[in-house]
Structure formats: C-alpha cells, structure tokens
Amino acid sequence: IRDEESGYNKNLFCIPKHYEEDLERVFIPHGLILDRTERLARNIMQDMGSHHIVALCVLKGGYKFFADLLDHIKALNQNGDKSVPITVDFVRIKSYC
C-alpha cells in the first residue's frame, strides 16, 4: 500500500458494530485478500512442481489465512493434471517479550 493511498470508505463494507468507532477506512478489501491468497496458492503449486508440500501453520493469528491457502491448494491439486502430496502441521510459538 502506498503512503498516499486513502483506502475505501468504511460505509462500503459490513463492519461489525463493535468495530465501527475504531475504524476510519478499509485499506484492503476481503475480496482482494482472497484473490491474492489464490494467486499465492497457484504460485506455490507452480514452484513446487511434483515435490511433496509441507505446510506449517503458526497457530493463533495465522490459522484463517492458512486454512484459506490450503483450500486453494487442495482445489488446484484436485483439478490439476497431477496430485501433489501435502503434509500439514501446526506450531505454537511464544514470544520472549
């Protein structure tokens, strides 16, 4: 996002009531995030070729993104010419602070 980017008016989106007062604008719409996540899945499948994919999720904050990314990878895996094995694992990390 460029510094001069003004974002989108929050009235264009369904914002939960408890967030309305805390938000001024929306910088990245959900649809754009989903599109970029699908593009990332396509890039991963292309880069990995027929190699085994090991997907590692850092728990707590990363789960939703991880699940969406894996859904796209699985769809590409099912609809593609070849099936690539995928192993999924999770880690939980504590901060030293």
Side-chain angles (χ1 to χ4, degrees):
I1 299 174
R2 296 182 302 257
D3 288 340
E4 63 273 1
E5 182 67 44
S6 62
Y8 299 88
N9 187 315
K10 71 177 182 180
N11 294 329
L12 298 172
F13 301 91
C14 296
I15 307 290
K17 284 265 188 227
H18 56 278
Y19 290 130
E20 283 181 348
E21 297 300 318
D22 297 324
L23 293 175
E24 283 183 35
R25 306 192 68 69
V26 173
F27 286 100
I28 306 174
H30 187 251
L32 181 58
I33 292 171
L34 289 177
D35 182 70
R36 298 293 170 91
T37 304
E38 183 177 0
R39 170 51 56 196
L40 180 60
R42 289 177 186 270
N43 290 346
I44 289 169
M45 290 296 289
Q46 184 178 18
D47 291 347
M48 292 303 293
S50 60
H51 289 57
H52 183 119
I53 295 175
V54 177
L56 184 64
C57 177
V58 178
L59 282 177
K60 295 289 184 179
Y63 177 73
K64 178 65 174 139
F65 167 74
F66 184 76
D68 289 344
L69 181 63
L70 276 184
D71 286 344
H72 289 299
I73 289 173
K74 287 177 185 176
L76 291 169
N77 213 6
Q78 290 173 349
N79 299 325
D81 297 335
K82 59 186 179 285
S83 181
V84 178
I86 302 172
T87 301
V88 177
D89 210 345
F90 300 87
V91 294
R92 189 170 181 185
I93 298 174
K94 284 189 172 185
S95 172
Y96 289 108
C97 297

